[in-house]
């Protein structure tokens, strides 16, 4: 019985078999192509399947999506932005497979609960901040999915003191301040000469003032959003990972200060934000959990 995990990320596709102790060299990654996105995704799945009969496929995708219809509409894939029937396409590729789709943040929470920092608590928030913000919520031991499958959209929580326009059409969304793409764009508008999130983090560590300021802004906004969600859902643990959240940067210092400022209710005084240990495999690992549990919460 061969099971596959597939991640539809903001920057590329990733896939692997669902097996014990899958190594980094067994995960296949490809960037999002300029055109023929499904062809690229299909070829990736076929390569990972290796000619074996596939019985289940777990998919974690950047949103928005319609989980019931099996449709995704990631803004980073122009061909799919109006909606692409991903589940149907994968079912046609593997006719005998049960195909399960959920938001990338849901998969991230599944991975943290099963393998990571939130495994011993019933209520937690899992966050990854890289080029974009991915997040998922666990309440009472169950990962929250939501009415349409889009629960956990931390990137569109509003943060006071910021008015940047978000690609969703609103203003002041966390994504527009703390997402890696947004932070890079802000720094470049101030005169910074770098080009990527990796550049931003590396130069902030090296003492570049503009890069450091971009991470400080991101951490301040992120800490405020986390404190708000923790107050709403009575959480005391957040697992934070991703390229922007690399250890030893001003993002963590600013985030801690914002949490201390805003999480002042009695039940929030123990709120902890801890580094995730999942690296960049969290969503894919969660998609594997989805395949193993056949759609049940774990």
């Amino acid at each position: 019985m061969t099971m596959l995990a597939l991640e539809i990320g903001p920057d590329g596709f990733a896939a692997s078999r669902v097996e014990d102790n899958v190594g980094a060299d067994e995960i296949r990654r490809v960037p999002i192509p300029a055109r023929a996105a499904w062809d690229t995704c299909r070829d990736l799945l076929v390569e990972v399947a290796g000619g074996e009969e596939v019985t289940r496929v777990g998919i974690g995708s950047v949103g928005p999506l319609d989980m019931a219809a099996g449709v995704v509409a990631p803004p980073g894939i122009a061909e799919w932005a109006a909606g692409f029937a991903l589940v149907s396409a994968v079912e046609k590729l593997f006719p005998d497979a049960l195909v399960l789709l959920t938001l990338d943040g849901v998969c991230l929470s599944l991975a943290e609960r099963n393998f990571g920092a939130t495994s011993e608590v019933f209520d937690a928030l899992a966050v990854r901040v890289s080029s974009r913000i991915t997040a998922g919520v666990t309440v009472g031991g169950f990962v929250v999915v939501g009415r349409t499958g889009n629960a956990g959209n931390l990137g569109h929580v509003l943060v006071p003191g910021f008015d940047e326009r978000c690609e969703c059409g609103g203003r002041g969304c966390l994504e527009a301040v703390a997402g890696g793409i947004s932070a890079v764009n802000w720094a470049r508008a101030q005169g910074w000469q770098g080009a990527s999130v990796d550049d931003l983090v590396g130069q902030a560590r090296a003492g570049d003032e503009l890069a450091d300021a971009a991470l400080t802004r991101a951490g301040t906004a992120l800490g405020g959003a986390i404190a708000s969600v923790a107050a709403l859902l009575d959480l005391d643990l957040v697992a934070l990972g991703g390229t922007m959240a690399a250890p030893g940067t001003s993002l963590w210092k600013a985030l801690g200060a914002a949490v201390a400022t805003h999480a002042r209710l009695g039940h929030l005084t123990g709120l902890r934000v801890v580094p995730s240990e999942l690296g960049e495999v969290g969503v894919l690992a969660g998609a594997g959990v989805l395949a193993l549990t056949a759609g049940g919460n774990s």
Side-chain angles (χ1 to χ4, degrees), residues 183-205:
V184 166
N185 289 340
W186 179 87
R188 288 183 60 83
Q190 311 308 309
W192 180 65
Q193 298 299 307
S196 69
V197 175
D198 287 336
D199 290 344
L200 192 72
V201 173
Q203 291 185 29
R205 280 175 166 166

PDB file of all heavy atoms in Angstrom, residues 183-205:
ATOM      1  N   ALA A 183       7.932  41.795   3.897  1.00  0.00           N
ATOM      2  CA  ALA A 183       9.062  42.379   4.626  1.00  0.00           C
ATOM      3  C   ALA A 183      10.184  42.774   3.683  1.00  0.00           C
ATOM      4  O   ALA A 183      10.806  43.833   3.836  1.00  0.00           O
ATOM      5  CB  ALA A 183       9.568  41.384   5.674  1.00  0.00           C
ATOM      6  N   VAL A 184      10.453  41.932   2.693  1.00  0.00           N
ATOM      7  CA  VAL A 184      11.472  42.262   1.688  1.00  0.00           C
ATOM      8  C   VAL A 184      11.068  43.507   0.912  1.00  0.00           C
ATOM      9  O   VAL A 184      11.882  44.417   0.695  1.00  0.00           O
ATOM     10  CB  VAL A 184      11.694  41.065   0.745  1.00  0.00           C
ATOM     11  CG1 VAL A 184      12.476  41.491  -0.503  1.00  0.00           C
ATOM     12  CG2 VAL A 184      12.441  39.947   1.465  1.00  0.00           C
ATOM     13  N   ASN A 185       9.807  43.568   0.501  1.00  0.00           N
ATOM     14  CA  ASN A 185       9.341  44.733  -0.264  1.00  0.00           C
ATOM     15  C   ASN A 185       9.439  46.016   0.565  1.00  0.00           C
ATOM     16  O   ASN A 185       9.808  47.078   0.049  1.00  0.00           O
ATOM     17  CB  ASN A 185       7.901  44.509  -0.733  1.00  0.00           C
ATOM     18  CG  ASN A 185       7.799  43.458  -1.818  1.00  0.00           C
ATOM     19  OD1 ASN A 185       8.781  43.147  -2.482  1.00  0.00           O
ATOM     20  ND2 ASN A 185       6.617  42.904  -1.999  1.00  0.00           N
ATOM     21  N   TRP A 186       9.104  45.936   1.849  1.00  0.00           N
ATOM     22  CA  TRP A 186       9.213  47.121   2.711  1.00  0.00           C
ATOM     23  C   TRP A 186      10.667  47.576   2.827  1.00  0.00           C
ATOM     24  O   TRP A 186      10.970  48.765   2.712  1.00  0.00           O
ATOM     25  CB  TRP A 186       8.656  46.814   4.098  1.00  0.00           C
ATOM     26  CG  TRP A 186       8.757  47.987   5.034  1.00  0.00           C
ATOM     27  CD1 TRP A 186       7.855  48.999   5.177  1.00  0.00           C
ATOM     28  CD2 TRP A 186       9.848  48.294   5.910  1.00  0.00           C
ATOM     29  NE1 TRP A 186       8.298  49.912   6.102  1.00  0.00           N
ATOM     30  CE2 TRP A 186       9.525  49.501   6.574  1.00  0.00           C
ATOM     31  CE3 TRP A 186      11.044  47.654   6.217  1.00  0.00           C
ATOM     32  CZ2 TRP A 186      10.372  50.090   7.514  1.00  0.00           C
ATOM     33  CZ3 TRP A 186      11.894  48.231   7.154  1.00  0.00           C
ATOM     34  CH2 TRP A 186      11.559  49.441   7.795  1.00  0.00           C
ATOM     35  N   ALA A 187      11.565  46.630   3.059  1.00  0.00           N
ATOM     36  CA  ALA A 187      12.974  46.980   3.211  1.00  0.00           C
ATOM     37  C   ALA A 187      13.533  47.595   1.925  1.00  0.00           C
ATOM     38  O   ALA A 187      14.292  48.579   1.967  1.00  0.00           O
ATOM     39  CB  ALA A 187      13.775  45.743   3.607  1.00  0.00           C
ATOM     40  N   ARG A 188      13.155  47.041   0.797  1.00  0.00           N
ATOM     41  CA  ARG A 188      13.639  47.581  -0.481  1.00  0.00           C
ATOM     42  C   ARG A 188      13.100  48.991  -0.717  1.00  0.00           C
ATOM     43  O   ARG A 188      13.799  49.846  -1.267  1.00  0.00           O
ATOM     44  CB  ARG A 188      13.252  46.652  -1.633  1.00  0.00           C
ATOM     45  CG  ARG A 188      14.066  45.359  -1.651  1.00  0.00           C
ATOM     46  CD  ARG A 188      13.724  44.477  -2.851  1.00  0.00           C
ATOM     47  NE  ARG A 188      13.990  45.170  -4.105  1.00  0.00           N
ATOM     48  CZ  ARG A 188      15.192  45.229  -4.684  1.00  0.00           C
ATOM     49  NH1 ARG A 188      16.250  44.692  -4.104  1.00  0.00           N
ATOM     50  NH2 ARG A 188      15.340  45.861  -5.831  1.00  0.00           N
ATOM     51  N   ALA A 189      11.873  49.239  -0.278  1.00  0.00           N
ATOM     52  CA  ALA A 189      11.309  50.590  -0.415  1.00  0.00           C
ATOM     53  C   ALA A 189      12.054  51.605   0.449  1.00  0.00           C
ATOM     54  O   ALA A 189      12.041  52.806   0.159  1.00  0.00           O
ATOM     55  CB  ALA A 189       9.832  50.574  -0.043  1.00  0.00           C
ATOM     56  N   GLN A 190      12.748  51.105   1.490  1.00  0.00           N
ATOM     57  CA  GLN A 190      13.539  51.992   2.348  1.00  0.00           C
ATOM     58  C   GLN A 190      14.970  52.157   1.853  1.00  0.00           C
ATOM     59  O   GLN A 190      15.746  52.909   2.439  1.00  0.00           O
ATOM     60  CB  GLN A 190      13.580  51.439   3.787  1.00  0.00           C
ATOM     61  CG  GLN A 190      12.240  51.056   4.374  1.00  0.00           C
ATOM     62  CD  GLN A 190      11.208  52.156   4.285  1.00  0.00           C
ATOM     63  OE1 GLN A 190      11.468  53.282   4.691  1.00  0.00           O
ATOM     64  NE2 GLN A 190      10.030  51.822   3.751  1.00  0.00           N
ATOM     65  N   GLY A 191      15.309  51.435   0.766  1.00  0.00           N
ATOM     66  CA  GLY A 191      16.648  51.557   0.211  1.00  0.00           C
ATOM     67  C   GLY A 191      17.540  50.342   0.369  1.00  0.00           C
ATOM     68  O   GLY A 191      18.701  50.364  -0.057  1.00  0.00           O
ATOM     69  N   TRP A 192      17.030  49.293   0.999  1.00  0.00           N
ATOM     70  CA  TRP A 192      17.807  48.069   1.153  1.00  0.00           C
ATOM     71  C   TRP A 192      18.057  47.444  -0.215  1.00  0.00           C
ATOM     72  O   TRP A 192      17.193  47.467  -1.088  1.00  0.00           O
ATOM     73  CB  TRP A 192      17.044  47.103   2.061  1.00  0.00           C
ATOM     74  CG  TRP A 192      17.718  45.789   2.318  1.00  0.00           C
ATOM     75  CD1 TRP A 192      18.878  45.566   2.969  1.00  0.00           C
ATOM     76  CD2 TRP A 192      17.220  44.499   1.928  1.00  0.00           C
ATOM     77  NE1 TRP A 192      19.150  44.221   3.025  1.00  0.00           N
ATOM     78  CE2 TRP A 192      18.148  43.547   2.396  1.00  0.00           C
ATOM     79  CE3 TRP A 192      16.091  44.055   1.246  1.00  0.00           C
ATOM     80  CZ2 TRP A 192      17.985  42.185   2.197  1.00  0.00           C
ATOM     81  CZ3 TRP A 192      15.920  42.708   1.044  1.00  0.00           C
ATOM     82  CH2 TRP A 192      16.849  41.785   1.509  1.00  0.00           C
ATOM     83  N   GLN A 193      19.223  46.831  -0.405  1.00  0.00           N
ATOM     84  CA  GLN A 193      19.609  46.345  -1.725  1.00  0.00           C
ATOM     85  C   GLN A 193      19.468  44.831  -1.900  1.00  0.00           C
ATOM     86  O   GLN A 193      19.804  44.300  -2.957  1.00  0.00           O
ATOM     87  CB  GLN A 193      21.069  46.744  -2.014  1.00  0.00           C
ATOM     88  CG  GLN A 193      21.300  48.243  -2.045  1.00  0.00           C
ATOM     89  CD  GLN A 193      20.479  48.921  -3.128  1.00  0.00           C
ATOM     90  OE1 GLN A 193      20.528  48.541  -4.294  1.00  0.00           O
ATOM     91  NE2 GLN A 193      19.709  49.939  -2.738  1.00  0.00           N
ATOM     92  N   GLY A 194      19.017  44.127  -0.891  1.00  0.00           N
ATOM     93  CA  GLY A 194      18.870  42.682  -1.013  1.00  0.00           C
ATOM     94  C   GLY A 194      17.690  42.291  -1.881  1.00  0.00           C
ATOM     95  O   GLY A 194      16.926  43.139  -2.346  1.00  0.00           O
ATOM     96  N   ALA A 195      17.526  40.951  -2.061  1.00  0.00           N
ATOM     97  CA  ALA A 195      16.502  40.508  -2.998  1.00  0.00           C
ATOM     98  C   ALA A 195      15.588  39.411  -2.461  1.00  0.00           C
ATOM     99  O   ALA A 195      14.568  39.125  -3.084  1.00  0.00           O
ATOM    100  CB  ALA A 195      17.169  40.013  -4.284  1.00  0.00           C
ATOM    101  N   SER A 196      15.920  38.777  -1.361  1.00  0.00           N
ATOM    102  CA  SER A 196      15.164  37.608  -0.929  1.00  0.00           C
ATOM    103  C   SER A 196      15.012  37.579   0.582  1.00  0.00           C
ATOM    104  O   SER A 196      15.665  38.336   1.316  1.00  0.00           O
ATOM    105  CB  SER A 196      15.865  36.326  -1.393  1.00  0.00           C
ATOM    106  OG  SER A 196      17.088  36.157  -0.687  1.00  0.00           O
ATOM    107  N   VAL A 197      14.161  36.675   1.050  1.00  0.00           N
ATOM    108  CA  VAL A 197      13.987  36.493   2.489  1.00  0.00           C
ATOM    109  C   VAL A 197      15.285  36.011   3.124  1.00  0.00           C
ATOM    110  O   VAL A 197      15.675  36.463   4.202  1.00  0.00           O
ATOM    111  CB  VAL A 197      12.843  35.506   2.773  1.00  0.00           C
ATOM    112  CG1 VAL A 197      12.733  35.217   4.266  1.00  0.00           C
ATOM    113  CG2 VAL A 197      11.521  36.045   2.246  1.00  0.00           C
ATOM    114  N   ASP A 198      15.980  35.098   2.460  1.00  0.00           N
ATOM    115  CA  ASP A 198      17.259  34.621   2.977  1.00  0.00           C
ATOM    116  C   ASP A 198      18.255  35.773   3.110  1.00  0.00           C
ATOM    117  O   ASP A 198      18.994  35.866   4.101  1.00  0.00           O
ATOM    118  CB  ASP A 198      17.842  33.530   2.074  1.00  0.00           C
ATOM    119  CG  ASP A 198      17.096  32.211   2.216  1.00  0.00           C
ATOM    120  OD1 ASP A 198      16.468  31.989   3.267  1.00  0.00           O
ATOM    121  OD2 ASP A 198      17.142  31.403   1.275  1.00  0.00           O
ATOM    122  N   ASP A 199      18.282  36.651   2.104  1.00  0.00           N
ATOM    123  CA  ASP A 199      19.145  37.835   2.174  1.00  0.00           C
ATOM    124  C   ASP A 199      18.775  38.698   3.376  1.00  0.00           C
ATOM    125  O   ASP A 199      19.641  39.189   4.106  1.00  0.00           O
ATOM    126  CB  ASP A 199      19.014  38.689   0.908  1.00  0.00           C
ATOM    127  CG  ASP A 199      19.621  38.037  -0.321  1.00  0.00           C
ATOM    128  OD1 ASP A 199      20.406  37.078  -0.163  1.00  0.00           O
ATOM    129  OD2 ASP A 199      19.308  38.481  -1.437  1.00  0.00           O
ATOM    130  N   LEU A 200      17.480  38.895   3.552  1.00  0.00           N
ATOM    131  CA  LEU A 200      17.004  39.766   4.630  1.00  0.00           C
ATOM    132  C   LEU A 200      17.451  39.241   5.994  1.00  0.00           C
ATOM    133  O   LEU A 200      17.988  39.987   6.818  1.00  0.00           O
ATOM    134  CB  LEU A 200      15.476  39.859   4.576  1.00  0.00           C
ATOM    135  CG  LEU A 200      14.817  40.932   5.439  1.00  0.00           C
ATOM    136  CD1 LEU A 200      15.063  42.319   4.852  1.00  0.00           C
ATOM    137  CD2 LEU A 200      13.313  40.670   5.574  1.00  0.00           C
ATOM    138  N   VAL A 201      17.232  37.943   6.229  1.00  0.00           N
ATOM    139  CA  VAL A 201      17.587  37.351   7.510  1.00  0.00           C
ATOM    140  C   VAL A 201      19.103  37.357   7.706  1.00  0.00           C
ATOM    141  O   VAL A 201      19.609  37.713   8.775  1.00  0.00           O
ATOM    142  CB  VAL A 201      17.028  35.922   7.606  1.00  0.00           C
ATOM    143  CG1 VAL A 201      17.536  35.225   8.862  1.00  0.00           C
ATOM    144  CG2 VAL A 201      15.502  35.951   7.598  1.00  0.00           C
ATOM    145  N   GLY A 202      19.838  36.989   6.656  1.00  0.00           N
ATOM    146  CA  GLY A 202      21.288  36.950   6.765  1.00  0.00           C
ATOM    147  C   GLY A 202      21.893  38.316   7.029  1.00  0.00           C
ATOM    148  O   GLY A 202      22.790  38.468   7.876  1.00  0.00           O
ATOM    149  N   GLN A 203      21.392  39.327   6.349  1.00  0.00           N
ATOM    150  CA  GLN A 203      21.949  40.665   6.532  1.00  0.00           C
ATOM    151  C   GLN A 203      21.516  41.281   7.856  1.00  0.00           C
ATOM    152  O   GLN A 203      22.241  42.080   8.456  1.00  0.00           O
ATOM    153  CB  GLN A 203      21.563  41.546   5.351  1.00  0.00           C
ATOM    154  CG  GLN A 203      22.266  41.129   4.062  1.00  0.00           C
ATOM    155  CD  GLN A 203      21.993  42.076   2.908  1.00  0.00           C
ATOM    156  OE1 GLN A 203      21.759  43.260   3.100  1.00  0.00           O
ATOM    157  NE2 GLN A 203      22.013  41.541   1.693  1.00  0.00           N
ATOM    158  N   ALA A 204      20.318  40.913   8.340  1.00  0.00           N
ATOM    159  CA  ALA A 204      19.907  41.378   9.668  1.00  0.00           C
ATOM    160  C   ALA A 204      20.854  40.815  10.725  1.00  0.00           C
ATOM    161  O   ALA A 204      21.272  41.521  11.646  1.00  0.00           O
ATOM    162  CB  ALA A 204      18.467  40.956   9.952  1.00  0.00           C
ATOM    163  N   ARG A 205      21.203  39.563  10.607  1.00  0.00           N
ATOM    164  CA  ARG A 205      22.152  38.952  11.537  1.00  0.00           C
ATOM    165  C   ARG A 205      23.525  39.632  11.463  1.00  0.00           C
ATOM    166  O   ARG A 205      24.235  39.725  12.463  1.00  0.00           O
ATOM    167  CB  ARG A 205      22.309  37.474  11.220  1.00  0.00           C
ATOM    168  CG  ARG A 205      21.187  36.594  11.751  1.00  0.00           C
ATOM    169  CD  ARG A 205      21.375  35.186  11.288  1.00  0.00           C
ATOM    170  NE  ARG A 205      20.538  34.243  12.011  1.00  0.00           N
ATOM    171  CZ  ARG A 205      20.320  33.015  11.615  1.00  0.00           C
ATOM    172  NH1 ARG A 205      20.860  32.574  10.485  1.00  0.00           N
ATOM    173  NH2 ARG A 205      19.559  32.190  12.323  1.00  0.00           N
TER     174      ARG A 205
END
